[in-house]
Amino acid sequence: MNTPSFDFGMIGLGVMGRNLLLNMADHGYAVIGFDKDLAKGTALESAASPGTAVKAVSTLAEMVQQLKTPRKLMMLVPAGPIVDSVISDLLPLLEKGDIVIDGGNSHYKDTLLRINFLEDKNIHFMSMGISGGEHGARTGPSIMPGGDQLAWQQLKPILEAVSAKVNDTPCVAYMGKAAAGHYVKMVHNGIEYAIMQLISEVYDILKRQVGLTNDELHSLFKKWNEGEMQSYLIEITRDIFLKEDELSKNRLVDMILDKAGSKGTGKWTSQDAMDLPVPIPTIDIAVAMRDLSVFKDERVAAAALYKPRIKTVGPHKEKFIHQLHDGLYFATIICYAQGLALLHNASPALQMDIPLPDVVRIWRGGCIIRSSLLELFMTAFKKDKQLANILLNKKLSSRIKKKQAAIRKVVQQGSSARIPVAGLMSALAYFDAYCTERMPVNLVQAQRDCFGAHTYQRVDREGSFHTEWE
Ligand code: 6PG
């Protein structure tokens, strides 16, 4: 009989599960892992740092037996039916009070169903977003737990130990009730999609319109990353430009096919935002552009038919590059604004009580969308915990105003040169619409009432009105 001497169990020893477990072991926790693929268990044990307590087992039962009670277990398995099948395998092995965490990118609606299912089974269930990729999992991710409060209290020390730190503060906090952990992670990924889209558009302009080489792109992104636009995504982009291809003499980035993949979290963000409804057009566009990229054959045919000629930039290259910097800075703020506004509205609608000040605080380190901008957002939410949209913060507005002219120039130049800049355009259009006191939807309402008797409200009196238009 195995004695229960382990602090934490992991089900699923892919790179994320393995690295997070090794991270826990490095912080003094005795950890045990299980994966159906036994080779992954062997890989876990051989990667353990000397002197740490790391064990792999070949059955779930062996793992459960060796965990101290109340047991703390995390699933890091692909989202979807596998999560349900692991839960049903686990249930007969668990006891009252045990904690089960879903640390994968599950859809929050699936999580809500699971919470319901487990409610009367005396198991504490937590939804938990983890961001930072494989490197982050090993060295300190940003962790977004939500749901069961009691489980959170018990897990707090271990999660604080393994998470990323910014000025010694752990990048983990309770994200709210029910499926809040997965909801916040989903929106994190939506913002991630949008910022990646913006960076790729700016790259396209710099490469095809301005004519920069990969080395020049590297130097430029290096410079940008040293200034106000410092971020993880800019940092990795800087290094991507230098990576040599092992199969050809070219840079790897030039040998990668222009068809983007996705696992769905960006799409879920857009779908959910539309259901609420909350506008997040730059995230929507980022999803659409990944989708459009997949229609490669059609794009090639259309290019032959319409022959877009790229107009290169003339003598004002330096000035334009500066405008690109400011335009990207502006549009990146808009991506966060849309994602955070979504959280602000989803929180009461889904009864999750998501603490926005904590969200921006824990996104400052470890996660994919970490950037120096998060410090500014943190200050904004310190001033007003219920801030509906960061664009309404006075301090931020003065920065945004300074970058406005640049984004307009970039969008003009990009579109007149026939470079697709849908993300940058959508960010600017969102901003312009958000700042419009009287939108032209009075006409839309008139049309709706004209053809469908849908009624309208008036500017001068309360109530609902219908007119016989013809
Ligand atoms: C993270 C990442 C991570 C993963 C995404 C990528 O925060 O660490 O977001 O969750 O890389 O799932 O998603 P796509 O495959 O959809 O781009």
Side-chain angles (χ1 to χ4, degrees):
M1 175 78 186
N2 290 307
T3 48
S5 55
F6 288 89
D7 301 305
F8 200 92
M10 181 71 73
I11 302 154
L13 299 175
V15 268
M16 287 297 286
R18 180 179 74 220
N19 282 353
L20 196 60
L21 215 50
L22 293 171
N23 181 352
M24 289 178 184
D26 286 348
H27 285 87
Y29 292 95
V31 298
I32 185 162
F34 163 74
D35 197 295
K36 277 192 174 145
D37 177 356
L38 299 184
K40 289 193 175 145
T42 314
L44 168 76
E45 285 183 345
S46 54
S49 314
T52 57
V54 177
K55 183 175 177 181
V57 285
S58 53
T59 65
L60 268 184
E62 277 177 86
M63 185 171 88
V64 170
Q65 274 168 22
Q66 295 178 66
L67 282 165
K68 294 180 200 163
T69 55
R71 300 179 182 90
K72 300 176 188 71
L73 296 118
M74 182 186 288
M75 300 178 284
L76 257 174
V77 296
I82 298 182
V83 177
D84 296 302
S85 109
V86 173
I87 291 175
S88 69
D89 289 349
L90 264 178
L91 271 182
L93 305 170
L94 297 180
E95 283 173 319
K96 187 176 171 191
D98 287 346
I99 299 170
V100 177
I101 309 155
D102 178 5
N105 278 337
S106 289
H107 195 296
Y108 84 94
K109 286 186 180 164
D110 290 342
T111 304
L112 289 176
L113 293 176
R114 288 169 192 140
I115 290 171
N116 258 342
F117 171 68
L118 291 168
E119 206 166 42
D120 56 354
K121 300 195 170 49
N122 291 315
I123 301 297
H124 299 285
F125 185 65
M126 290 215 88
S127 61
M128 191 181 292
I130 302 174
S131 178
E134 47 186 284
H135 181 72
R138 185 74 179 85
T139 57
S142 175
I143 308 179
M144 297 154 243
D148 193 301
Q149 270 280 7
L150 206 131
W152 158 241
Q153 289 308 329
Q154 299 209 35
L155 290 165
K156 206 173 163 201
I158 188 163
L159 297 178
E160 287 189 342
V162 299
S163 70
K165 312 283 180 301
V166 173
N167 305 328
D168 294 329
T169 312
C171 292
V172 56
Y174 182 70
M175 294 284 97
K177 295 181 196 154
H182 285 144
Y183 198 87
V184 172
K185 177 64 184 4
M186 177 187 81
V187 176
H188 165 284
N189 280 26
I191 298 172
E192 172 186 305
Y193 272 53
I195 299 175
M196 288 164 76
Q197 173 63 25
L198 296 177
I199 296 176
S200 74
E201 289 176 9
V202 168
Y203 155 67
D204 202 9
I205 295 176
L206 286 167
K207 186 181 157 89
R208 292 199 292 157
Q209 199 180 353
V210 183
L212 296 195
T213 63
N214 284 318
D215 285 336
E216 287 166 336
L217 284 163
H218 166 80
S219 307
L220 184 64
F221 274 69
K222 182 170 182 290
K223 194 168 114 198
W224 286 3
N225 195 50
E226 284 157 6
E228 61 184 352
M229 206 146 62
Q230 189 286 321
S231 78
Y232 171 73
L233 284 168
I234 295 285
E235 181 189 320
I236 60 164
T237 309
R238 170 198 72 193
D239 298 340
I240 284 170
F241 292 126
L242 287 190
K243 185 77 181 164
E244 303 284 348
D245 178 30
E246 284 170 10
L247 302 175
S248 71
K249 289 199 176 75
N250 303 323
R251 292 286 160 86
L252 182 56
V253 67
D254 295 323
M255 302 308 292
I256 295 178
L257 185 66
D258 54 331
K259 280 187 183 179
S262 61
K263 293 208 188 80
T265 42
K267 178 182 76 179
W268 297 347
T269 313
S270 287
Q271 285 172 330
D272 206 68
M274 286 203 185
D275 285 343
L276 274 170
V278 178
I280 51 163
T282 311
I283 296 173
D284 302 339
I285 282 292
V287 176
M289 288 300 119
R290 286 199 195 189
D291 293 344
L292 185 59
S293 77
V294 176
F295 291 81
K296 172 84 180 177
D297 294 345
E298 288 179 38
R299 288 192 287 112
V300 170
L305 188 61
Y306 293 102
K307 299 188 177 48
R309 298 229 185 291
I310 303 301
K311 222 169 70 190
T312 51
V313 184
H316 306 298
K317 211 162 135 174
E318 282 313 314
K319 189 173 168 206
F320 185 46
I321 289 176
H322 189 71
Q323 285 164 338
L324 279 166
H325 169 278
D326 285 0
L328 180 57
Y329 184 85
F330 175 101
T332 304
I333 293 180
I334 301 293
C335 297
Y336 287 107
Q338 292 175 13
L340 292 168
L342 173 57
L343 287 178
H344 173 82
N345 288 286
S347 174
L350 302 171
Q351 293 160 0
M352 289 186 182
D353 289 341
I354 297 169
L356 269 282
D358 287 332
V359 172
V360 291
R361 178 174 65 74
I362 67 163
W363 282 354
R364 287 179 309 154
C367 68
I368 304 297
I369 61 167
R370 63 185 186 259
S371 78
S372 55
L373 282 170
L374 267 314
E375 289 292 342
L376 304 176
F377 306 154
M378 203 171 88
T379 313
F381 280 106
K382 247 185 209 154
K383 198 154 182 261
D384 178 2
K385 282 193 179 73
Q386 300 301 330
L387 186 61
N389 192 311
I390 51 171
L391 296 178
L392 296 173
N393 176 264
K394 231 179 163 167
K395 233 178 169 172
L396 261 169
S397 75
S398 60
R399 282 177 184 254
I400 292 164
K401 281 180 200 161
K402 282 188 200 136
K403 311 288 182 188
Q404 251 196 90
I407 181 83
R408 292 188 198 285
K409 205 79 205 159
V410 167
V411 163
Q412 270 168 19
Q413 289 269 9
S415 62
S416 71
R418 301 190 66 177
I419 304 257
V421 286
L424 293 159
M425 278 178 169
S426 79
L428 179 58
Y430 172 86
F431 173 77
D432 284 339
Y434 191 72
C435 301
T436 296
E437 206 180 312
R438 185 166 162 82
M439 288 175 77
V441 293
N442 50 330
L443 182 59
V444 173
Q445 286 298 77
Q447 290 161 334
R448 290 178 69 240
D449 192 55
C450 177
F451 63 65
H454 293 296
T455 74
Y456 55 87
Q457 291 171 286
R458 295 181 55 93
V459 293
D460 57 352
R461 63 199 71 193
E462 290 294 311
S464 180
F465 295 86
H466 169 60
T467 298
E468 290 303 322
W469 293 85
E470 282 169 26

